[in-house]
Amino acid sequence: MTAKQKRMLSRIIVALILFFLFLFLPFDRWFSYPTSLYVELGAFLIPYLIAGYDVVLRALRNIGHGQIFDENFLMTVATIGAFALVCFPDTEPHMAEGAAVMLFYQVGELFQSYAVGRSRKSIADMMEIAPEYANVMRDGELVEVDPYELALGDEFIVKPGERIPLDGTVIEGESTIDTAALTGESVPRSVRPGAEIISGCINLSSPLTVRADKAFEDSTVSRILELVENAADKKARTESFITRFARYYTPAVVGFALILALVPPLFFGQAWSDWILRGLTFLVVSCPCALVISVPLSFFGGIGGASRVGILVKGSNYLEALAHSKTVVFDKTGTLTNGTFSVTAVNPTSGFTELDLLEAAAHAEAYSDHPVATSVRQAYEGVIDHKRIESAEEISGQGVKALIDTRKVVVGNQLLMANEGIDWATTELVGTVLHVAIDGDYAGNILIADSVKSDARQAIAALHHEGIETTVMLTGDRNDVAEAVAKDLGIDRFYAELLPQDKVTQLEKLLQAMPERDKLAFVGDGINDAPVLTRADIGIAMGAMGSDAAIEAADVVLMDDHPLKIAKAIAIAKKTMAIVWQNIVLALGIKFAVLILAALGIANMWMAVFADVGVAILAILNAMRAMSVKRTGEISGTSEIRPAN
């Protein structure tokens, strides 16, 4: 609890003690009538002012700024009006009710402040990943400097227990790092020289010397902090509606309360005290704070709760869209599969050897960073001589053409072979097939396989359990490979042999075929999928630690590479939306019921206090449930080897 909240709690406790003391004092026996009324008025003004002087001051200040119709105005007018009924000695005194309205309103405000503080803390836990300093060697001494002072290529040292200040590569030392702040998982990761590490994680066991790969403003931690800070600016449609609703609702009920208080006495000769009391009661009930507080708090709590398990949502509008998702589309490589390819077979044709194929393919793929190219280079046991490579051209979605020792080498899929006019041999083996041609002659093929992620099958089942009607997989791989993976995982539909631009076209077709209210989410690794992530209703980047493209293009960022987190994100979104609508129905239902009773003169001021403050407290407590998200343990291991792209 903050110092401000503690001061507010102290004021409320003092005011409550005085309130209940005065409530049971026999003023009517100690003083003659009507003196007893004025003494009672003065007594109840004391707890009223102790608890609510700031509300009255805010109301006056806002009126001066032209902001009249807010909850401060409603509370001030209603409570002062209740005290003013002392001017009608023939009616029952309402000083106690006037003080009670302000007291319990402030109790509700304290609950709100505490709830918002709890929700902000879950966001603040994520914000704590920001490193305060970096250790660098200067003149033989280790000194602490601001991370902003370091540039690309600078070396820094991370001691055990310290946060890693910048993204970089380990150049000396072996240790374990805690990634829980980013991924929500508790199992540390081992690192050694050559390993890439990202800012915001904690070094656990041994000192590390790291070379900075990015400046601080471009590092992962800076991107994440910017994302979290801006999340509150993107409101959901429900949240925006409530804001607009309150803007028109409050002046309307104030006008109706005036009509209720003035028209019957002026035009029909009714008792002033009775109808003024009805108008004041109507004002107290009508305060929209339960809605205005609880709905944004629910979204804020959902976003904060998600961040605790490594799911970053860029705004409540995306959380709402995620809850309405009915179709989830996956990229395959690196999303449903591990993206760690290995050569499982080399099939040369007559006149060529396995070494010929691997040597030609490895040299042709020497400059490619595609996982398939990496696996080919790893399978080739010889040394790649870059002097032999005269030229190399990577053709997106097809393969590579290169000139090696004046010989033209073509390595790629069937489409590339067809475009080059080369007759290739088909294979019954299921996997990613690289065809190799040398000087126009077909030299054979290399079979490459990838493993499906251990939780991919469970993730698809969990999505269907969460109400996802259709799961779709898009891949550039061959049809038989895609069919094998889709069948293994239980994916409803798949589209294979797609070029990068074909994925966007296919996504457009899926979007057009969906009902307007339903939403489509696309899940990719965030590196090569930026166009599709941007086009989908909700773009989800998975395994995005350190990926600038992911954080920029996606609406939801999963900081680890477990597909099961997608179902977790949807579950959090649905829980948040359920809480939002529970609060809307609760607040409006009770308020409208008591408003009608107030207009009919049946509801008294105590019922009004419950309809306002009581409902607000219930709604706030309900909204706080959105913050409750259990952390998930690490999911490790892989399934049996499966074909993948």
Side-chain angles (χ1 to χ4, degrees):
M1 186 174 283
T2 65
K4 182 179 179 181
Q5 289 170 344
K6 288 178 180 178
R7 289 195 300 270
M8 188 174 181
L9 178 61
S10 300
R11 284 168 45 203
I12 289 173
I13 290 173
V14 171
L16 280 171
I17 292 171
L18 292 174
F19 173 80
F20 284 109
L21 174 66
F22 296 148
L23 190 63
F24 295 105
L25 288 179
F27 292 106
D28 54 344
R29 291 210 308 265
W30 291 353
F31 303 96
S32 60
Y33 184 84
T35 304
S36 60
L37 283 181
Y38 301 123
V39 173
E40 188 176 353
L41 170 66
F44 280 109
L45 274 173
I46 296 172
Y48 172 84
L49 291 173
I50 291 173
Y53 74 89
D54 53 338
V55 176
V56 178
L57 290 177
R58 281 198 301 269
L60 294 173
R61 186 166 57 249
N62 290 345
I63 290 172
H65 295 155
Q67 301 171 356
I68 300 175
F69 298 110
D70 62 2
E71 62 269 21
N72 297 298
F73 173 79
L74 293 177
M75 286 298 107
T76 301
V77 171
T79 51
I80 290 177
F83 282 111
L85 286 173
V86 74
C87 298
F88 301 91
D90 57 319
T91 188
E92 293 182 14
H94 292 280
M95 282 74 77
E97 287 94 327
V101 168
M102 184 61 75
L103 263 170
F104 290 112
Y105 172 74
Q106 289 290 65
V107 170
E109 288 288 290
L110 182 61
F111 266 90
Q112 175 199 347
S113 177
Y114 176 73
V116 170
R118 278 280 308 276
S119 182
R120 287 189 183 278
K121 185 181 183 303
S122 60
I123 296 290
D125 289 341
M126 174 60 72
M127 303 297 277
E128 287 176 4
I129 64 175
E132 296 180 359
Y133 60 87
N135 300 310
V136 296
M137 292 295 296
R138 289 183 178 172
D139 300 325
E141 293 186 6
L142 198 63
V143 296
E144 296 179 358
V145 300
D146 193 308
Y148 278 101
E149 295 181 22
L150 297 182
L152 185 68
D154 286 352
E155 294 182 7
F156 58 91
I157 295 171
V158 187
K159 299 177 185 177
E162 293 182 338
R163 289 196 181 275
I164 299 166
L166 283 83
D167 297 0
T169 302
V170 177
I171 58 176
E172 186 179 333
E174 295 186 11
S175 185
T176 53
I177 59 173
D178 179 5
T179 65
L182 296 173
T183 66
E185 296 180 357
S186 57
V187 179
R189 180 166 69 92
S190 298
V191 295
R192 53 181 50 86
E196 294 183 355
I197 58 177
I198 62 171
S199 51
C201 299
I202 299 174
N203 181 24
L204 294 178
S205 51
S206 303
L208 293 172
T209 302
V210 184
R211 182 182 63 250
D213 292 339
K214 296 177 182 177
F216 182 76
E217 57 267 25
D218 298 322
S219 65
T220 300
V221 69
S222 292
R223 296 295 186 93
I224 291 172
L225 296 181
E226 182 182 0
L227 182 156
V228 173
E229 288 169 350
N230 294 335
D233 296 334
K234 298 174 181 177
K235 293 186 176 182
R237 286 191 305 171
T238 308
E239 192 177 356
S240 298
F241 168 76
I242 293 301
T243 303
R244 292 195 304 271
F245 174 80
R247 190 180 304 149
Y248 297 105
Y249 164 84
T250 307
V253 295
V254 170
F256 191 83
L258 281 173
I259 294 171
L260 196 64
L262 300 177
V263 170
L266 284 175
F267 297 98
F268 301 101
Q270 300 293 312
W272 280 97
S273 58
D274 180 34
W275 287 95
I276 288 176
L277 180 60
R278 291 192 194 189
L280 295 173
T281 305
F282 194 89
L283 274 184
V284 173
V285 177
S286 65
C287 183
C289 54
L291 282 177
V292 174
I293 294 168
S294 67
V295 172
L297 182 61
S298 300
F299 281 113
F300 200 56
I303 291 172
S307 72
R308 290 178 56 237
V309 293
I311 301 170
L312 305 183
V313 184
K314 288 189 176 181
S316 54
N317 54 334
Y318 301 121
L319 202 66
E320 184 176 40
L322 201 58
H324 293 136
S325 297
K326 294 298 181 184
T327 300
V328 177
V329 181
F330 293 89
D331 174 54
K332 181 162 70 66
T333 306
T335 303
L336 295 172
T337 67
N338 287 296
T340 52
F341 294 85
S342 60
V343 173
T344 58
V346 180
N347 305 305
T349 59
S350 178
F352 295 93
T353 65
E354 291 186 7
L355 182 60
D356 291 335
L357 257 66
L358 285 174
E359 183 180 20
H363 279 79
E365 300 274 17
Y367 298 109
S368 174
D369 58 359
H370 193 282
V372 169
T374 303
S375 68
V376 171
R377 292 195 298 269
Q378 289 173 346
Y380 174 59
E381 296 180 355
V383 177
I384 295 176
D385 185 356
H386 291 274
K387 294 179 181 178
R388 296 172 57 190
I389 307 169
E390 297 181 33
S391 64
E393 177 189 0
E394 188 165 354
I395 302 169
S396 179
Q398 297 184 32
V400 176
K401 293 192 296 184
L403 196 62
I404 303 168
D405 294 334
T406 71
R407 304 175 73 188
K408 183 179 179 182
V409 177
V410 179
V411 182
N413 58 21
Q414 298 175 6
L415 181 59
L416 183 58
M417 294 295 114
N419 290 341
E420 293 295 316
I422 298 168
D423 293 328
W424 71 92
T426 59
T427 176
E428 298 300 322
L429 297 173
V430 177
T432 297
V433 178
L434 278 183
H435 297 282
V436 181
I438 301 175
D439 282 338
D441 296 325
Y442 185 66
N445 59 62
I446 300 171
L447 187 69
I448 298 171
D450 185 12
S451 56
V452 169
K453 290 183 178 178
S454 59
D455 62 328
R457 190 180 297 106
Q458 185 184 358
I460 300 301
L463 285 171
H464 286 302
H465 178 73
E466 290 297 335
I468 297 301
E469 297 173 356
T470 308
T471 52
V472 182
M473 184 179 70
L474 306 181
T475 179
D477 213 338
R478 289 164 37 212
N479 191 76
D480 56 346
V481 176
E483 183 178 10
V485 174
K487 184 177 180 180
D488 178 42
L489 299 183
I491 292 174
D492 300 314
R493 292 150 62 184
F494 69 91
Y495 299 91
E497 301 180 12
L498 300 175
L499 296 174
Q501 61 268 29
D502 296 334
K503 292 183 180 181
V504 178
T505 304
Q506 190 59 57
L507 194 78
E508 293 279 3
K509 293 178 181 178
L510 291 170
L511 286 167
Q512 291 171 6
M514 291 175 59
E516 186 177 349
R517 178 173 171 79
D518 293 349
K519 302 297 181 183
L520 180 147
F522 177 82
V523 188
D525 59 18
I527 299 171
N528 301 315
D529 299 313
V532 202
L533 284 167
T534 304
R535 179 62 192 90
D537 293 320
I538 312 102
I540 303 175
M542 191 172 67
M545 287 201 302
S547 170
D548 293 343
I551 294 175
E552 288 295 332
D555 308 314
V556 178
V557 179
L558 310 184
M559 297 308 293
D560 61 26
D561 61 353
H562 300 312
L564 198 55
K565 280 278 184 76
I566 303 162
K568 183 80 169 178
I570 292 174
I572 291 171
K574 288 192 170 184
K575 176 184 176 182
T576 302
M577 289 307 301
I579 290 172
V580 166
W581 283 105
Q582 287 165 11
N583 284 341
I584 290 173
V585 172
L586 172 74
L588 291 182
I590 293 179
K591 276 188 180 295
F592 282 133
V594 180
L595 281 174
I596 293 170
L597 295 177
L600 297 175
I602 299 173
N604 57 26
M605 194 68 79
W606 293 108
M607 289 180 66
V609 170
F610 169 75
D612 176 45
V613 180
V615 171
I617 291 174
L618 290 175
I620 290 167
L621 292 174
N622 192 37
M624 290 176 72
R625 294 194 302 115
M627 303 176 212
S628 177
V629 178
K630 292 182 179 178
R631 288 183 180 268
T632 53
E634 184 176 54
I635 304 166
S636 58
T638 59
S639 71
E640 58 187 291
I641 295 296
R642 296 286 176 181
N645 179 30

